[in-house]
Amino acid sequence: MKLAILGAGESGVGAALLAKAKGLEVFVSDKGEIKEQYKQKLSAAAIPFEEGVHSHDRILSADQLIKSPGIPDKSPIIQEAIEKGIQIISEIEFAGRYTDAKFICITGTNGKTTTTLLTYHLLKSAGLNVGLAGNIGESLAEKVIENKYDYYVVELSSFQLDNMYQFKAHIAVLLNITPDHLDRYEYSMEKYAASKLRVAQNMTGADFFLFNADDENIANAFDSSNFGGTAIPFSLNGAEGAKVYLEGEQVHVVEKFYEGTIAVAKSPLIGKHNQYNTMAAVAAAKLVGVADADIEKALATFQNAEHRLQTVGEAKGVTYINDSKATNVDAVWYALEGIKQPIVWIAGGVDKGNDYSSLVELARDKVKVLICLGKDNKKLQENFSRVVPIVAETTSMEYAVRLSRSLSEAGDVVLLS
């Protein structure tokens, strides 16, 4: 079989290496410039590649095409492949063909990476033979070459899910669905939600779908009556039928054969959104047989990824938190909601048509200073100048931090979100 791979980043190169290892004829094409580290991998494996151009004749002579998640379906080369009837799949779909390991797949608009890392940490700390892959920045296909793990914890974006067809998760997690990337889905929330729900496709009764029962968009999109797997709702709000819920500082799992009560007080994660993330990760660990005591012990030693409510330092009693991965309104809401101290908030960037109304009351209650940092801060000014006592403006990160230092006092939090 001849494979063409579009995109020579982590996923594309990983797929190419797996294809070569399985004796397939493979060609890699990237319209942009390929990073040196990936060129070296391709060259070492004697895999032909091109950069800066797509050789249409060569690509369209393939039997299957694996595309990078970042390439939209409206791309001309993709449209030509579709017209020719060439099947287009993702790296994850391809990798899944070459392993019998069980997949724990995690998606959602917000919280994917934290939940993925936490789930991996809980399983690895308990001694399970587990690998980490996917949107987290590690190629599943490349790891499958050695095929040495019993489980993979895989973070999945909607773009990856779009080109997955036969792939099946043993445990699927859907954290939330809020507006994001709608330009890839014809500005339709229904189509975006349908993409996210693909994480639970092909499931049987022995597989588990953990989903946020408090999320209205999930409730509208998920049809439990036609679902072949075992649905396990989790909730903070007492949703009817919830099988995972938080009571005080304990997560309760009440799914038959997997019951448990896990104390989460020692977890370093803060905020309501991280309560959802923790419930999902704890439940996933229970579903693969990790003991309550082992989960509690591992929660206390978890370290989250950089830029996700990451405490980067403290000076003169002021805590500095880097939440720069919060690039949409919902993510910022969770950050503001989770911090209990007075906040000096650094915000901005390029506006994506955001509706900031959901942040106004939180800003009124918690934010003492807003430092706008972006190309055009007009909307931030309009939304928050009446509710935040001090609103300043700058285009320099260095000046924003210096200003935050001068406007904060002991007990405050400076939040970049």
Side-chain angles (χ1 to χ4, degrees), residues 55-82:
S55 297
H56 286 221
D57 290 348
R58 192 167 186 182
I59 293 167
L60 297 174
S61 68
D63 300 306
Q64 279 193 337
L65 194 155
I66 299 172
K67 80 174 182 71
S68 164
I71 300 173
D73 285 343
K74 63 185 178 183
S75 169
I77 188 69
I78 297 299
Q79 287 299 310
E80 287 185 54
I82 291 170

Side-chain angles (χ1 to χ4, degrees), residues 272-329:
K272 187 175 181 179
H273 67 308
N274 277 322
Q275 291 176 333
Y276 283 110
N277 298 341
T278 300
M279 282 193 295
V282 164
K286 287 295 297 178
L287 292 171
V288 295
V290 181
D292 295 3
D294 290 336
I295 295 174
E296 290 177 3
K297 184 178 178 182
L299 283 170
T301 60
F302 176 64
Q303 292 184 326
N304 203 0
E306 294 182 339
H307 315 303
R308 290 168 174 83
L309 282 173
Q310 176 194 12
T311 300
V312 292
E314 186 175 314
K316 297 182 179 179
V318 178
T319 301
Y320 291 80
I321 294 179
N322 177 4
D323 191 39
S324 56
K325 280 290 185 179
T327 57
N328 57 55
V329 169

Side-chain angles (χ1 to χ4, degrees), residues 255-274:
E255 173 66 18
K256 189 178 181 182
F257 305 124
Y258 302 97
E259 296 90 348
T261 299
I262 298 93
V264 296
K266 293 183 179 179
S267 169
L269 297 174
I270 63 172
K272 187 175 181 179
H273 67 308
N274 277 322

Side-chain angles (χ1 to χ4, degrees), residues 106-112 115 173-180 189 192-193 196-197 209-219 234 272-274 276-277 280 328 330-331 334:
I106 296 162
T107 195
T109 307
N110 297 306
K112 293 187 296 294
T115 307
V173 177
L174 180 53
L175 296 164
N176 46 62
I177 301 175
T178 60
D180 202 15
M189 271 300 292
Y192 176 55
K196 288 295 189 188
L197 260 297
F209 178 39
L210 288 157
F211 67 94
N212 184 348
D214 299 335
D215 188 288
E216 185 177 345
N217 287 316
I218 295 176
F234 58 91
K272 187 175 181 179
H273 67 308
N274 277 322
Y276 283 110
N277 298 341
N328 57 55
D330 271 43
Y334 285 124

Side-chain angles (χ1 to χ4, degrees), residues 119-136:
T119 303
Y120 172 73
H121 177 71
L122 297 181
L123 271 57
K124 187 175 176 65
S125 298
L128 274 70
N129 181 26
V130 58
L132 178 71
N135 198 53
I136 199 87

Side-chain angles (χ1 to χ4, degrees), residues 168-172 199-205 207-209 227-230:
K168 178 178 77 71
H170 172 53
I171 298 172
V199 74
Q201 67 186 1
N202 304 319
M203 282 187 154
T204 66
D207 305 312
F208 303 97
F209 178 39
F227 180 57
T230 300

